[in-house]
Amino acid sequence: MTHFKNALPRRNPLPLPLPLPLALAMALPLALAACGGGGGGTDTPAPSGSKSITIDFAAKAGTQDVKCGTAITGLGNAKVSAQLHDLRFYVSNVALVNDKGETVPVTLDVSDWQTKDVALVDLEDGTGACADAGTKAMNPQIKGTVPAGTYTGVKLTVGVPSSLNHTDYAVATKPMDVQAMAWSWQAGRKFAQIEVNPTGGVVRPAPAAPGNTFYVHLGSTGCTGNPVTGETVSCDRPNRMDFSFANFNTATQKVVVDLAALYTGTNLNEDLGSAPGCMSGATDPECNAIYKVLALDLVTGKPINGGSGQTLFRAEAK
């Protein structure tokens, strides 16, 4: 806090003390201002001429709320039950669409969950089956500012920009330092890590042993170049998922990630080969159905029609 001991020249006589009630009334606003306010909040005030916005996220499977430690029923074409194992994803290129149809980038607040370029949405709480690699802390929001105006839509990308993707997580700033989201064998990050443990496990072709978890890991593949030695990394298949909602109100709506939609056409009890589940491989049998949901081209790793046909995310009233 600011101290006022030497605010007046020494040659001036000190003023007479104020009556105690009046002194307290005058001091309180100064104390609150110096210490950041009395509400205990950490939100950064929006700059003049702009407004703060929050984009909320939630996890569901159809109409069921999804959370760690609670069974999710009726998943995939076998309609199996499953426990959530992990649910985290990076989001970038966050923008709103104004009433003139113009795309306006959101200036992200910098925090443990956000850099100025990317945010980590974390919808697991480290309990139940999520205890394997999860954390207690959650982040169901993206926070930032936009110029004052009227906004009617939203655009986002599930993914990390290439310039930030191929860096050492061990020395990266938050939230790029999450070891569970690092993808060392592809020299980058998992853009999305969505995992469930289906009842009955996951049968795999011999000689592979059955597994407990069906993995969906989205990230750039076909990458060359070693960032540790200073080489530029290039990836044949970027696998960054674009999605948008033409009608979206950040004050009254939220973004729902729908696991029932994600596993449409997928048998969670069976893996036909390659990596367990879908780990973004162009020849992975399980990725065919998953990529249709994401509106990503399995061969090129690029969005189909700007991601307009994706069904993983939907807008819903708060």
Side-chain angles (χ1 to χ4, degrees):
M1 292 188 183
T2 305
H3 297 279
F4 299 99
K5 180 177 178 181
N6 298 320
L8 296 174
R10 293 181 181 274
R11 65 177 180 275
N12 288 347
L14 292 173
L16 293 175
L18 291 170
L20 184 57
L22 180 58
L24 290 173
M26 294 179 64
L28 183 59
L30 292 174
L32 290 176
C35 294
T42 58
D43 289 346
T44 303
S48 178
S50 64
K51 64 179 181 179
S52 298
I53 63 102
T54 298
I55 301 174
D56 292 302
F57 289 79
K60 290 191 174 185
T63 60
Q64 303 173 71
D65 292 330
V66 168
K67 59 183 179 180
C68 301
T70 301
I72 314 164
T73 60
L75 291 179
N77 55 22
K79 303 300 179 184
V80 300
S81 294
Q83 293 281 338
L84 185 66
H85 190 250
D86 208 337
L87 181 45
R88 288 177 269 189
F89 50 92
Y90 285 109
V91 180
S92 57
N93 297 330
V94 183
L96 299 186
V97 179
N98 65 20
D99 55 355
K100 299 178 183 178
E102 300 167 332
T103 299
V104 180
V106 174
T107 300
L108 298 180
D109 297 344
V110 176
S111 68
D112 286 352
W113 296 104
Q114 301 182 172
T115 70
K116 64 183 181 64
D117 299 300
V118 64
L120 176 61
V121 176
D122 187 335
L123 300 178
E124 55 75 35
D125 63 6
T127 64
C130 300
D132 286 352
T135 60
K136 181 178 179 181
M138 301 177 69
N139 182 48
Q141 298 178 321
I142 294 175
K143 294 185 176 183
T145 58
V146 290
T150 301
Y151 296 93
T152 58
V154 66
K155 293 183 176 181
L156 311 98
T157 298
V158 175
V160 175
S162 182
S163 59
L164 298 175
N165 189 34
H166 306 288
T167 58
D168 184 357
Y169 79 88
V171 295
T173 58
K174 293 180 180 298
M176 304 303 298
D177 63 339
V178 180
Q179 182 177 5
M181 300 298 287
W183 208 355
S184 58
W185 68 281
Q186 286 290 353
R189 304 298 194 288
K190 301 168 194 169
F191 302 154
Q193 181 162 272
I194 305 175
E195 303 171 357
V196 294
N197 290 358
T199 300
V202 183
V203 176
R204 304 189 64 209
N212 295 320
T213 305
F214 191 97
Y215 301 93
V216 174
H217 292 172
L218 183 66
S220 295
T221 59
C223 301
T224 57
N226 186 354
V228 175
T229 59
E231 295 179 359
T232 299
V233 179
S234 176
C235 300
D236 292 336
R237 303 170 63 246
N239 289 321
R240 293 178 178 87
M241 176 194 173
D242 293 335
F243 71 100
S244 61
F245 303 116
N247 297 297
F248 189 83
N249 187 323
T250 58
T252 62
Q253 293 177 290
K254 61 188 175 184
V255 178
V256 172
V257 52
D258 187 350
L259 298 195
L262 177 63
Y263 302 123
T264 300
T266 295
N267 184 350
L268 293 175
N269 289 133
E270 182 180 44
D271 182 87
L272 298 178
S274 192
C278 170
M279 295 189 180
S280 301
T283 59
D284 191 325
E286 278 64 55
C287 285
N288 286 296
I290 297 293
Y291 267 54
K292 288 179 181 178
V293 174
L294 306 182
L296 279 173
D297 188 299
L298 186 56
V299 176
T300 67
K302 296 180 179 180
I304 299 170
N305 295 327
S308 60
Q310 69 81 29
T311 55
L312 175 61
F313 296 98
R314 69 172 189 265
E316 190 174 283
K318 292 183 180 180

